[in-house]
Amino acid sequence: MTVDERIAAARLWAAHRAPYLASAVFALRPVYLEAATDPPVPDPEFRAFPTDTRWNLHVDPGTALATPVEEIGWWMLHHVGHLVRGHAARSPVRPGPGAEAHRWNQAADAEINDDLEAERLPGPAGVLSPSALGLPVNRTAEEYVPMLDVLADALGNGGRALSEAIDCGSAVDGMDRSYQDTGSGDGLTHLDRELLERSIAAGIQDRISARSEIPSGWRRWATERTRPAIDWRARLGAMIRRGLSTTAGQVDFSYARPSRRAGAYHGVIPPAMVRPAPDTVLVIDTSGSVTNDVLRLLLAEVTGIARPSGRLRAICCDVAAHPVQTVRRAADIELTGGGGTDMRAGLTAAAALRPRPDLIVVLTDGETPWPEHRPPAHTVVCLIGDGGHAPAWASVARIPEGARR
Ligand SMILES: [Zn+2]
């Protein structure tokens, strides 16, 4: 079989094995890389058929020819997991080399692979499996990171590794790879992805209603995805807390270990068990398309979660960023602005603040241009109403316009 035929056969295999993900499997866009040698030989960098956030699946001809069709199909299902569950947007990984990216990739793999195992689709040799490592299943990537840290230390003392070094591409951490074609921007747009995700989630819900067996990770994802309006407070809370814990060090597991990010706190090493107060900046869309009543309500929610006590910085933003306000309570924020919207100005101002914020929370209806790259802090976008959009690098909580207590 040619490379093309193997990819086509792998898609059919994947769609057949997990019919509730069939539309996603067919939305993957194979990008054929040039073979470095003739005849082509497998390049280990492309062992996983790495994907990017525009759903491009990178196919190294040598790897495709040497990998069984079923295994290529398994990687397709695996990548659908990374893409649909927004691992790139959830990633705590920052630019630059380091073990952090590798650990996040492993944790994201753990979140996906247990669902594949539940479908009796174990991964190829060397991929990470929570159950094989004795870890609990059905956890999120954020929960697996500290578990894997602890386990890697223990295994490392015996000279063993958690898994082989596998790179799943920028779909896992949002960092562009050198082989990606970033120029032409080919691939699924934000709208394509949004519609695709909604239809996959609706399809899974239908199957749940019809009492089909669906792995629990997918069940949880589809339920969250189709009912954002019901659970927006819980979702927003989870996102902000997730942002805080990834910026403030692994709080829950830090009891036995000093913070690895001690340097971030101006040289003062925080005592174990004490969460350093994360510095949160709010960027508020005051262009007028969101009413002040709705903003006030949300500000109270957000500050209750992110900064129950202490000072808080806020930047109002319309076409330009207004001066930063430092307040003690959400009610003290003066909502100034009007006219057009450009949240790029607000985010640039937030990123330039000193001391540098740990977490940025944006409140907007999303009818705005966004920066192409993530700001240098974890960013949560509260998207108010049904319209608008948020960038792929942000964690997003969609909030119904009529949100009331
Ligand atoms: Zn992966």
Side-chain angles (χ1 to χ4, degrees):
M1 282 198 285
T2 63
V3 171
D4 245 357
E5 288 165 349
R6 297 177 75 81
I7 295 297
R11 271 202 221 255
L12 286 174
W13 181 90
H16 181 70
R17 296 307 299 264
Y20 51 94
L21 299 177
S23 56
V25 166
F26 283 98
L28 288 167
R29 303 177 73 258
V31 172
Y32 298 97
L33 303 166
E34 261 177 58
T37 55
D38 185 22
V41 294
D43 179 342
E45 187 186 356
F46 297 100
R47 176 185 170 185
F49 300 86
T51 46
D52 64 25
T53 53
R54 300 175 72 89
W55 289 63
N56 295 306
L57 175 100
H58 296 88
V59 180
D60 165 54
T63 305
L65 291 170
T67 308
V69 163
E70 297 78 12
E71 192 176 318
I72 303 176
W74 185 88
W75 282 114
M76 289 177 171
L77 292 172
H78 176 93
H79 286 301
V80 165
H82 284 311
L83 288 162
V84 164
R85 298 186 191 190
H87 284 152
R90 287 160 51 188
S91 167
V93 179
R94 297 281 163 266
E100 194 190 27
H102 182 49
R103 178 72 76 241
W104 175 253
N105 198 143
Q106 289 177 318
D109 285 354
E111 179 189 311
I112 303 170
N113 290 349
D114 54 7
D115 283 321
L116 288 166
E117 286 171 11
E119 292 281 42
R120 287 181 292 281
L121 294 170
V127 305
L128 193 138
S129 154
S131 58
L133 290 171
L135 296 176
V137 295
N138 298 329
R139 302 300 174 93
T140 61
E142 288 80 0
E143 292 172 301
Y144 280 124
V145 167
M147 293 186 212
L148 292 174
D149 279 344
V150 171
L151 198 57
D153 279 354
L155 287 177
N157 291 335
R160 294 198 296 139
L162 292 169
S163 67
E164 288 173 20
I166 295 172
D167 181 20
C168 291
S170 60
V172 177
D173 56 26
M175 300 289 153
D176 288 344
R177 304 296 195 270
S178 56
Y179 54 79
Q180 273 177 236
D181 179 14
T182 47
S184 63
D186 276 348
L188 268 60
T189 64
H190 178 83
L191 182 64
D192 295 335
R193 296 193 294 258
E194 176 75 26
L195 296 176
L196 180 62
E197 283 182 20
R198 284 188 200 180
S199 84
I200 299 165
I204 291 177
Q205 289 291 11
D206 288 348
R207 282 166 194 268
I208 293 172
S209 310
R211 301 187 177 280
S212 297
E213 290 285 321
I214 299 285
S216 53
W218 281 110
R219 202 176 266 268
R220 181 179 58 208
W221 171 80
T223 307
E224 255 184 44
R225 194 70 183 73
T226 47
R227 292 195 207 139
I230 293 173
D231 274 351
W232 68 269
R233 274 190 193 85
R235 182 171 166 76
L236 179 61
M239 282 189 155
I240 291 175
R241 276 188 289 272
R242 185 189 292 154
L244 294 179
S245 68
T246 52
T247 54
Q250 278 84 36
V251 184
D252 296 337
F253 273 71
S254 64
Y255 53 86
R257 330 166 71 218
S259 167
R260 293 177 302 150
R261 293 197 181 179
Y265 305 106
H266 315 290
V268 180
I269 298 174
M273 288 294 285
V274 174
R275 184 204 292 253
D279 205 330
T280 305
V281 172
L282 303 173
V283 177
I284 308 161
D285 178 351
T286 47
S287 60
S289 49
V290 186
T291 65
N292 281 4
D293 284 355
V294 173
L295 283 179
R296 289 270 172 225
L297 173 75
L298 279 177
L299 282 170
E301 296 279 350
V302 169
T303 52
I305 302 162
R307 195 77 177 178
S309 63
R311 286 182 315 150
L312 178 79
R313 288 180 290 179
I315 295 172
C316 293
C317 180
D318 41 40
V319 283
H322 292 254
V324 61
Q325 304 176 41
T326 303
V327 296
R328 287 211 163 267
R329 299 179 310 141
D332 296 336
I333 299 170
E334 200 182 326
L335 297 172
T336 52
T341 318
D342 188 349
M343 297 310 281
R344 291 176 301 189
L347 282 164
T348 303
L353 288 177
R354 295 294 178 271
R356 197 187 274 270
D358 298 313
L359 176 71
I360 300 174
V361 179
V362 185
L363 274 61
T364 178
D365 61 1
E367 303 285 351
T368 167
W370 291 100
E372 200 173 317
H373 298 289
R374 71 180 61 219
H378 190 93
T379 304
V380 174
V381 174
C382 306
L383 209 51
I384 305 159
D386 286 333
H389 76 284
W393 44 254
S395 301
V396 184
R398 200 175 264 282
I399 292 156
E401 177 110 44
R404 289 288 180 272
R405 269 169 211 282

